Structures are given as structure tokens and as C-alpha cells.
């Protein structure tokens, strides 16, 4: 092993170890609460599992080189790594596509996503990705397609091979990556357009009615108090006195009219409660949308350098520079490391399960 190999293996071992530990922080607490998770949260937990699978393969390869002090590796075991790495990468893309699909169904189609649909999506995407990853073995070409790459920390498809079988499988893998990625872009453009319309209409209605968020909250609290009094048989004295004053005084001033209109608005609890409920639901959906955009965006950023190196090797039939290939693999590893951090920031349910487990451990 030369200096570059030691650097590659040491860096990979460090990043992969940290990434696996962070992913386990999300996976373990939520496995116990798997039935209470929403379909989107279930996909996110599976995404952390997929990321851990990729990082575990990187860690195994790099740690083995460091322990032995050489770059020798069993070709058959390398083929197993190649299958697992390819499956993990494709399934990660499938899960990100699922997050986008669920947001699209909820925001654009105005439909809910059932747990049965979420489970069916998980099973179908896993089976499809496993089939694609197994194509080299189905074609009896696993030994020449799944090989150790020049960085010696990644066993995957030999993109630079020019034989027909490798070319066909390489383009299948690239198509499986590019088609969902472009579809996600179109979907988020539609989602952004829909969300912009909703918020534009909401702001316009707020301007017309003269309602601010704080004003709505204050009147909502007054409404709740007056409504509870009315249910208990009490009559709100302030409202009654203002109404009597406005009714008897036919030449009332503008101030009295304004006061009466405010009191009349405060006597409409159903309208305010529906508006408050709708705003709370929209806020929740926007938070979930931001979570999906963050995860998908992180995935695209992390995998774009590797995709560029892959397409370059397929088109030219030559290997990319080792340093660029290593940098692309580190982008992938950092994506796998940062995904659970994004999840903890945006997903309240998953974060609550993690905090609850650690709280019980402290007690």
C-alpha cells in the first residue's frame, strides 16, 4: 500500500464508522415503534438502513486493507460487496423517489397515503433493485462486472469495460438512476407551484380581512373563552353591553361601529377554528415537504459526482482519475452520514422516539 492507499482507507474507515453510528441512532429507537410511524417516516428509517448497508461495505473493505497492510481481496467476496453496494445505492434512490411521490400525492392529488401503500412500495422497490443488482449473476458475468475499483474501497460495476454485457447492465443502472431523478425534479416543480398558489391565496385573504397571525391567535383565544362561557350558561357581559350600545345609538360613532364589528367577528368560533386548524395542517405538510426536499437534494448532491465519473467511464471506456473517483465516493459517504441528521431536524416523530429511548436509558 502506498501513501494514497493509506489515505483512502483511513479516511473511508473514519467517515464510514461515524456514519454507521449516526444512522443507528435513528434506526434502533424507531424499530421498536415501526407500527406507529407514518409511511413517509417508514421510508426514512429504511433509507437510513440502506445508507448503513453502503457504509458497512465501505468500512469492511477499507478496514480489511488497513489490517492486512495490502490491497489483496477475494474476488468472490468482492462480487458480494458489489451486489450489496449496487442494491443499496439503487434502493436509496427508490426511497427518495418514494418520499417525493408521497408528497406529490398529498399536495397535488389531495389524497392520503395509506400504510398498506407504503409497505407495498417498499417491497416492490426492494425487489426491483435486487433484481437489477443481480443482473451480472443472471448473465453469468459477475466476475468481470463486479470488480475492485482503483481506490480499493469500492467493489461495484466495472463501468469502463467495453464488452456488450457490461455495457448493457451499465446503461440499465444509469437509466434507473436518471429516470427517477428527472421525475423528482418535475414533481417538485409542480409541488412548488401548488404551494406558492396556496400561500399566495392565504396572504391575499389575510390582507383583505386585515388579519395578522398574532391577531388571529388573540381573537381565537377570546373566542374559545366566550364559547366556553356560553356553554356553561353565562352571557359575556362585554359583548352584550357593546351590542346594546350600538343598537340603541343609531347615530353611533365610527369607533363604536368598529368595536361592534370586532365583537361580531369574535362570535364566529367555527370559522376561526377551521382557519386555525387548516393553517396548522398546512404548516405540518410544509415541514414534511421541506424534509423531503432536503433529503432528496442531499441525495442528488452526494451522488452527482459519482454519476459524472460513471458516465465518463461508460462513454470513454477509460478509468477516471483515482483522486476524482475517491472524492466522488466520499460525497456518497457524506450523503449517507448526513441523512440521519436531516431526519432528526425535520421529523418530529422520529426525533421523539430517539429522545424517548435515550431518556429511558438514562433513567
Amino acid at each position: 500500500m502506498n501513501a494514497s492507499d493509506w489515505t483512502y482507507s483511513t479516511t473511508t474507515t473514519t467517515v464510514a464508522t461515524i456514519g454507521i453510528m449516526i444512522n443507528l441512532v435513528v434506526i434502533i429507537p424507531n424499530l421498536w415503534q415501526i407500527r406507529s410511524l407514518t409511511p413517509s417516516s417508514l421510508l426514512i428509517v429504511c433509507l437510513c438502513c440502506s445508507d448503513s448497508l453502503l457504509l458497512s461495505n465501505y468500512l469492511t473493505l477499507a478496514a480489511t486493507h488497513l489490517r492486512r497492510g495490502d490491497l489483496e481481496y477475494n474476488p468472490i467476496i468482492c462480487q458480494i460487496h458489489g451486489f450489496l453496494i449496487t442494491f443499496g445505492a439503487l434502493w436509496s434512490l427508490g426511497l427518495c423517489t418514494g418520499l417525493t411521490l408521497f408528497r406529490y400525492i398529498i399536495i397535488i392529488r389531495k389524497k392520503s397515503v395509506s400504510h398498506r401503500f407504503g409497505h407495498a412500495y417498499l417491497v416492490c422497490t426492494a425487489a426491483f433493485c435486487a433484481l437489477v443488482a443481480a443482473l451480472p449473476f443472471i448473465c453469468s458475468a459477475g466476475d468481470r462486472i463486479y470488480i475492485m475499483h482503483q481506490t480499493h474501497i469500492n467493489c461495484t460495476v466495472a463501468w469502463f469495460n467495453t464488452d456488450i454485457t457490461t455495457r448493457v447492465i451499465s446503461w440499465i443502472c444509469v437509466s434507473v438512476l436518471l429516470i427517477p431523478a428527472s421525475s423528482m425534479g418535475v414533481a417538485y416543480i409542480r409541488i412548488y407551484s401548488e404551494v406558492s398558489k396556496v400561500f399566495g391565496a392565504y396572504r391575499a385573504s389575510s390582507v383583505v380581512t386585515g388579519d395578522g397571525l398574532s391577531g388571529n391567535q388573540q381573537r381565537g383565544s377570546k373566542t374559545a373563552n366566550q364559547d366556553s362561557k356560553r356553554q356553561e350558561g353565562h352571557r359575556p357581559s362585554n359583548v352584550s353591553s357593546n351590542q346594546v350600545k350600538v343598537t340603541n345609538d343609531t347615530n353611533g360613532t365610527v369607533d363604536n361601529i368598529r368595536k361592534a364589528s370586532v365583537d361580531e367577528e369574535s362570535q364566529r368560533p367555527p370559522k376561526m377554528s377551521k382557519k386555525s386548524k387548516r393553517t396548522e395542517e398546512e404548516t405540518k405538510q410544509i415541514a414534511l415537504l421541506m424534509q423531503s426536499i432536503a433529503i432528496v437534494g442531499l441525495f442528488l448532491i452526494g451522488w452527482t459526482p459519482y454519476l459524472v465519473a460513471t458516465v465518463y467511464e461508460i462513454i470513454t471506456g477509460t478509468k477516471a482519475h483515482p483522486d476524482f473517483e475517491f472524492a466522488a465516493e466520499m460525497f456518497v459517504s457524506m450523503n449517507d452520514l448526513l441523512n440521519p441528521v436531516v431526519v432528526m431536524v425535520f421529523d418530529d416523530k422520529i426525533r421523539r422516539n430517539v429522545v424517548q429511548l435515550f431518556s429511558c436509558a438514562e433513567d
Side-chain angles (χ1 to χ4, degrees), residues 29-44:
N30 287 280
L31 284 179
W32 302 103
Q33 306 288 338
I34 197 73
R35 293 189 177 184
S36 65
L37 296 177
T38 63
S40 295
S41 297
L42 180 61
L43 257 63
I44 290 171

Side-chain angles (χ1 to χ4, degrees), residues 233-248:
H234 296 289
R235 182 176 301 173
S237 58
N238 291 338
V239 175
S240 300
S241 62
N242 287 333
Q243 288 178 334
V244 171
K245 183 175 181 179
V246 174
T247 303
N248 294 336

Side-chain angles (χ1 to χ4, degrees), residues 198-260:
V198 171
F199 273 94
Y202 181 77
R203 285 195 298 267
S205 64
S206 298
V207 171
V208 171
T209 59
D211 289 337
L213 183 58
S214 60
N216 289 339
Q217 292 174 344
Q218 291 174 359
R219 282 197 291 272
S221 62
K222 290 181 180 179
T223 301
N225 293 333
Q226 292 172 1
D227 189 55
S228 62
K229 289 180 179 179
R230 186 179 302 167
Q231 291 176 356
E232 293 172 0
H234 296 289
R235 182 176 301 173
S237 58
N238 291 338
V239 175
S240 300
S241 62
N242 287 333
Q243 288 178 334
V244 171
K245 183 175 181 179
V246 174
T247 303
N248 294 336
D249 188 5
T250 57
N251 297 322
T253 62
V254 176
D255 292 337
N256 287 336
I257 294 175
R258 288 179 179 173
K259 187 180 295 184

Side-chain angles (χ1 to χ4, degrees), residues 73-93:
Y73 209 79
N74 190 317
I76 296 177
I77 298 179
C78 187
Q79 293 175 42
I80 297 174
H81 283 298
F83 170 81
L84 294 175
I85 290 173
T86 304
F87 168 75
L90 295 177
W91 200 34
S92 294
L93 176 65

Side-chain angles (χ1 to χ4, degrees), residues 248-282:
N248 294 336
D249 188 5
T250 57
N251 297 322
T253 62
V254 176
D255 292 337
N256 287 336
I257 294 175
R258 288 179 179 173
K259 187 180 295 184
S261 64
V262 171
D263 290 332
E264 289 171 359
E265 289 179 4
S266 66
Q267 293 179 11
R268 299 172 184 173
K271 183 177 180 180
M272 294 305 298
S273 62
K274 289 180 181 178
K275 189 173 183 180
S276 177
K277 183 177 180 180
R278 184 175 67 250
T279 303
E280 181 181 353
E281 181 64 23
E282 288 175 355

Side-chain angles (χ1 to χ4, degrees), residues 341-361:
V341 177
V342 173
V343 170
M344 290 288 289
V345 170
F346 286 100
D347 198 304
D348 293 337
K349 179 65 176 177
I350 290 180
R351 183 173 62 250
R352 193 180 307 117
N353 291 338
V354 173
V355 172
Q356 182 179 358
L357 179 66
F358 282 96
S359 298
C360 293

Side-chain angles (χ1 to χ4, degrees), residues 26 57 80 98 114 124 143 172 250:
V26 173
N57 282 275
I80 297 174
S114 65
C124 292
D143 56 340
I172 289 175
T250 57

